[in-house]
Amino acid sequence: MASSSQSNAPCSCDCFVSLPPASALPAVIFAKNSDRPRDEVQEVVLVPSGTHAPGSRLQCTYIEVDQVERTYSVILSRPAWLWGAEMGANEHGVCIGNEAVWTQEPVGQEEALLGMDLLRLGLERGSSSQEALKVITSLLEQYGQGGSCREDPTPFCYHNTFLLADRKEAWVLETAGKLWAAQRIQEGARNISNQLSIGTDITMEHPELRAHAQKQGWWDGQTPFDFAQVFSLVHQPVRMEAAKARFRAGQELLKQNQGGITAMTMMGILRNKESGICMDSGGFRTTASMVSVLPQDPTQPCVHFLTATPDPSRSVFKPFVFEAGVAQVPQVLSPIFGDKDPVRTHPRFQTQVDRRHPLYQGHQAALGRMEIDQVSKGN
């Protein structure tokens, strides 16, 4: 996914959301598979709410941004080397997942906010999915998105799409540089998979979106404005065809379960290998997964299930609920390397460190024993 080797790099992530009447219960159900470099470790981090002094600054993965007075408590599934997250939820029942995407807008290697940084900032600052969306678009316009998204000397850069959900509704937010379009989802089921998917049904957009497209010659200003059609690459690389296939497969799996979608249904979709949604290919694999149940009844708690381990078909989804006294589980925290961390030294990523947390190590050891047993039985 580097801008320098975009055509050869594999990629895949899939996000899903179900709202009544697609859900089997009066709840919004969110799910995501995070597909990353196969040896990358994801940790699950609980960040408490906080208050911050006026004028304070916040260090994200690469750059600093202005801090806000109050931030919400969040649970994050994140690549252990960076500040942001691939997916997560906050104490108000807001969930967000992101996806890599390439568009007509060029992808630069200049360090800015990663899409994963924007995701965490949205969770820390948004008490609803719409408020989180506004946080992300505001920061996107102010700071931009950019920088390598992989712990490797070779840059690995992309723009982002997001799926945001809360107890009442969901939003699809798709970006191209600092430009963006958003679609509100109030019923039924929706998925996103590494491509632009918002057509003419645009609920909100960057004020200069259409003028920019017309100026670039991508849109004539007369025909209906179809965001995906206008901003998608004219010549799609082969890997994007795979993303289209996964998107269609995800749509079909949601359709097959329409009216009966539960947390278990979503876990089954995330574990589906035949479609490529649960993936292991070309040096990439599903490194972590998440499913959240967000009851429409505000007196009922939201329940978030996270694996913290690779391959959901061979992982357990562990539940988490925001409640008084909840604490960080140390077994899913990766080691900290401080100023000697390869992401902090310059030039970045010239060395490697072992980021495996105890659960990851135990999971990999168990899988190794299972594979040995299978070979022995086969003989």
Side-chain angles (χ1 to χ4, degrees), residues 197-225:
S197 62
I198 297 175
T200 58
D201 186 10
I202 301 172
T203 311
M204 298 169 58
E205 64 186 68
H206 188 287
E208 298 176 8
L209 181 69
R210 302 186 190 214
H212 179 78
Q214 192 169 3
K215 181 179 179 181
Q216 295 297 320
W218 303 334
W219 179 53
D220 60 13
Q222 302 297 321
T223 56
F225 184 80

Side-chain angles (χ1 to χ4, degrees), residues 66 86 104 183 209 230 233 285 307 322 328 369:
D66 293 329
E86 275 279 296
Q104 297 267 41
Q183 181 185 62
L209 181 69
V230 170
L233 290 168
R285 68 173 169 182
T307 61
F322 285 96
Q328 173 72 52
R369 288 193 294 270

